[in-house]
Amino acid sequence: MPALTENDCAPYIGRFAPSPTGPLHFGSLVAAVGSYLRARDQSGTWLLRMEDLDPPREQPGAAEAILRTLEAHGLGWDGEVMYQSARHGRYREVLEGLLRSGLAYRCDCSRKQQAERSAPPGIYDGHCRTRHVGEHGQHAVRLLAEGDIHFDDPVQGPQSQNLQREVGDFVLRRADGLYAYQLAVVVDDGDQGVTEVVRGSDLLDSSARQIHLQRLLDLPRPGYIHLPLALNRQGQKLSKQNLATAVDDRRPLPSLIEALRFLGQAPPPELAEATLDEFWRWAIAHWRLESVPRGSRIAG
């Protein structure tokens, strides 16, 4: 029997963290439903965080539209919505601490320079580790990434990644001054006391980086569950970039029932005639994590 972790004894806190790059589509609804049902099944808290860190990619009004869609589908969150755009001071504080401790460093390599040196492609070679790049001028900040990370995902199975060989030193703040997802999500999960992260399997590869950063910051390590991705007919992940259709706020039940089916929960036909309250009572009472399929597949 595995040893208990700090979070095994803590009240359950989960979260859903969409990016406001467009309206909520079916793939995001699946992630919302899965994380919500897991939290409610554990008699826990379900938080909502808006990951609005990248203004060039955000769509005006998308954050408000996402909130309306969640409400229309009966996905009620606990407490106030956290907006990452309001937390730059906190991210700066953590980043400066990592720089002072020598766990992070400044990097002024261009993408072209990285591409010319990296082997295999896309993995940073640590060129700036000992260059002492000055704080003035355009530069990114990277975290020293070393060691093997192992964790068990109840849906996707045992996971292992060697950070130095498979990722390289990764970015915490971009050269354009925007804070990177990996930094913000770890700081936010730690500050909000999140005990388990339930999200799409497109983020499975990020988990080892986040666990590594949690260790360096002496933060509790949450559990991780990665749900199957909904794909379009071309086999691409449903996304705003691929013009995924927004879910219909006026008719929430069909989308919710399809999301349950996608997550392997087998809702009965009579649920199509239920009220939203009846739907959620049934869904929470019958939620079975062990029924969630591992592989991604075409939606609809």
Side-chain angles (χ1 to χ4, degrees), residues 2-160:
L4 290 177
T5 67
E6 181 176 343
N7 282 334
D8 287 320
C9 303
Y12 186 98
I13 301 177
R15 48 79 162 175
F16 177 57
S19 299
T21 54
L24 206 71
H25 55 73
F26 180 75
S28 297
L29 182 67
V30 166
V33 168
S35 62
Y36 179 83
L37 287 173
R38 175 66 170 171
R40 296 303 185 231
D41 179 63
Q42 299 294 306
S43 300
T45 298
W46 191 64
L47 303 175
L48 182 60
R49 179 191 309 155
M50 199 62 65
E51 296 192 337
D52 54 346
L53 273 182
D54 196 348
R57 294 182 59 241
E58 291 164 21
Q59 188 179 103
E64 293 77 12
I66 289 170
L67 299 184
R68 288 195 300 270
T69 296
L70 293 174
E71 289 175 334
H73 286 73
L75 285 152
W77 57 90
D78 299 306
E80 298 294 322
V81 180
M82 173 183 277
Y83 290 85
Q84 289 185 330
S85 57
R87 289 177 51 79
H88 288 190
R90 176 68 173 130
Y91 305 145
R92 185 183 311 112
E93 174 190 16
V94 173
L95 193 69
E96 289 174 352
L98 290 167
L99 285 165
R100 285 194 303 270
S101 65
L103 296 172
Y105 60 91
R106 299 178 182 90
C107 169
D108 61 4
C109 296
S110 68
R111 288 188 179 183
K112 181 179 179 182
Q113 289 170 330
Q114 294 176 49
E116 289 171 348
R117 292 195 312 267
S118 292
I123 298 177
Y124 187 67
D125 64 354
H127 179 75
C128 287
R129 274 191 176 196
T130 57
R131 288 188 58 231
H132 305 293
V133 174
E135 61 181 296
H136 302 294
Q138 193 173 58
H139 62 270
V141 175
R142 292 181 178 273
L143 186 74
L144 294 173
E146 298 177 338
D148 294 298
I149 302 293
H150 307 277
F151 68 97
D152 188 53
D153 184 311
V155 172
Q156 302 298 328
Q159 304 295 315
S160 179

